Amino acid sequence: MGKLLSSVPEELQLPAMEEAEISDLQLMYYVRDCLLQVKENRENYDELVGYLHPKRKFDSHHAAQLMTTLKALSGVVSYINPVHHETLIFALSRLSLWNYAATDSKYDGTDIMDAVLELIVSLAVSKGNLIDWCLDVLVKHFSPPRHIFDSLENVNGVDRKDKVLSRVHGALKQIADLVPLAPLRLSPIVVENIPRRVPHTVPEIVMYCENMLRLESGAIGEIVGGIMLPALVDKLVELDAAIGWDGKLQEDAKCIFEMELEDIAEIEDDDDDEKHHSMCATEFLSRNHSDDKNVEKLDSLIVLTFLHLESCQSSGRLAEVFDILLMSFKRTVLNTYKSKFTQFVMFYACALDPERCGVNFAMVLTEMFESYVNPPITRMSAVAYLASYLSRAKFLSSELVASIIQRLVDWCFAYCKLHDFDMNPQAHQVFYSGCQAIMYILCFRMRSLMDIPRLKIRLIKMPMEQIWKHKLNPLKVCLPSVVEEFLKQSKAARLFMSAELFVFDDLLEADLSKAFGGMDRLDMFFPFDPCLLEKSESYLRPHFVRWSRVKTTYDTHNIEDDSDCESEEPSDDDFLDMNAKDMIDDDMTGSVEADHDFHPDLNKMSITPKPMKYGFQEQMERGMRIRRSTSPESL
């Protein structure tokens, strides 16, 4: 700093006793002249910029120089011109707060951080043409430089992280207060900076999205919240779609999904050597090495979103956030054909608030299916989501399920009356999707509905038999394994009077269902089949119904006989009727076995039914063996 101080004009020099107070003012005048005379005297300007460049060996002397320069620039921000002072702007953009937040430094880095932010805020407020640059500089602090990530894992890492991010979000709030339009400019900047093409690590993307959610729930969340959440969902979809299924993985899937993972667990539990245990879902997916990091990133981001939803529930904001997520779901996820896991964000939000969010989601999907305004592909996707959701959501009441089945049956019956035609899979795809949804839901829910007298009567009165016997013949078009299980349970429950419905012959061997879309047909898509992501699945497990725990109508094992079992305690795997707790047996507790020993690595595969001949199930101890719908065959 010696040269700068020696260059201060003599007329500004005051007596020595006041030198300390005047030196800041003298320096400010000098910096101003450096900025104004950049074209005539480049040497002084370059020296000024040089004080802002990072030093390899940063000591207390360099800290004092940097602090003095920053304070001087803050006093003359009105003279900073982005056209003439590009090198200065560039030097400021390279000042990372993370480098000055180390708790083991010999100098007080917090003063430097505060000085940097003071300058950035001053530039944003006084220079309208630099506000985007200022916001961009702050947003880039959402993730630290890569060489700093390792240090964040030690004891002081949390403190270092808090020092930086609390100041960054404070500066964003300060700019938003002083520049009312700043939040509108901030949203696209945040979205644009989401790590995408440049290779990024899991901690980087997670920390960045963590700060996006912090913005959403922060002081300016009312303005930017509607952008942050959809942008995060879009990122989830991007990672989701990047998880591919190569040919080798497809062959593995065909082999491993011949039976459920519970069966694999029973076989391998006898082996004491843990290395022979079945691989967990994440390991299975990561066998396609190109997807390994995407799987980990997606799993971590979904868990981060789950935690944010829990926070919103605690603060009473879940309903508001759910509405934003629902709009994003309809815009992005619903028509993303190969979405494997992103939809579980909606599932978890519904689980946290079954009475409002849970019911609302089911009704929206139903209305989307019924509406002729929506294109066929959207309606088919909506009813696939609806069927899978009603089948898997433990927190939905039997009353709600029965009501929606009634609506689906009424729609399909009305369709039959208006279309007295012969079977044509391509021409009536929406109809067949609705029929399959009815059967799929009842595969999971028939026993619980038949155990409640008033719902049993309601179910029997529905004109389903007329639908199945119609010329359109949905039983020969829908997925054979779903049809088989549905008819088997219907026969055991005596749901229909017509014996001809239960004459299988070559019914399930027909290839007509393939005309419904071939190997990639949408009718095989059941979006809420068990989640394959290890960490995410642990959050979903208490709210989720697995096929192996469903009681069927042909299962002779009664709930009353469970007293002989080793454990008599109730399990959180039981269906719960959240909306009709005062109604006796108006839940699905009688439909699900207790399961205290569920292994997180062994029971995550989806259960889209696997085509098989009738009679094959008779050789099995329990129900149908089902394959996951997110396998290549169902995508």
Side-chain angles (χ1 to χ4, degrees), residues 473-485:
N473 209 337
L475 297 182
K476 287 190 176 181
V477 177
C478 296
L479 195 63
S481 52
V482 172
V483 175
E484 178 183 5
E485 177 65 20

Side-chain angles (χ1 to χ4, degrees), residues 48-103:
L48 173 67
V49 174
Y51 290 122
L52 300 175
H53 286 305
K55 306 295 188 296
R56 290 186 178 180
K57 295 183 179 180
F58 195 80
D59 53 26
S60 57
H61 175 68
H62 293 126
Q65 287 182 330
L66 178 59
M67 176 76 70
T68 305
T69 305
L70 291 171
K71 286 187 173 294
L73 286 170
S74 295
V76 294
V77 289
S78 59
Y79 296 97
I80 297 178
N81 189 320
V83 176
H84 302 303
H85 305 131
E86 291 182 0
T87 56
L88 174 65
I89 299 297
F90 176 75
L92 290 175
S93 67
R94 296 184 63 196
L95 293 175
S96 175
L97 302 182
W98 293 97
N99 292 326
Y100 309 115
T103 55

Side-chain angles (χ1 to χ4, degrees), residues 486-535:
F486 169 71
L487 291 180
K488 187 175 182 182
Q489 291 205 40
S490 299
K491 182 178 182 180
R494 299 179 181 178
L495 186 59
F496 307 123
M497 299 299 297
S498 178
E500 63 185 82
L501 286 175
F502 307 109
V503 178
F504 290 86
D505 295 329
D506 296 328
L507 175 65
L508 301 176
E509 299 179 26
D511 291 331
L512 291 170
S513 64
K514 293 184 179 179
F516 204 177
M519 285 294 288
D520 293 329
R521 57 186 182 266
L522 185 63
D523 66 318
M524 291 185 70
F525 180 56
F526 299 103
F528 293 113
D529 280 0
C531 182
L532 290 172
L533 303 177
E534 188 173 12
K535 291 184 289 187

Side-chain angles (χ1 to χ4, degrees), residues 136 505 559:
D136 186 73
D505 295 329
I559 299 301

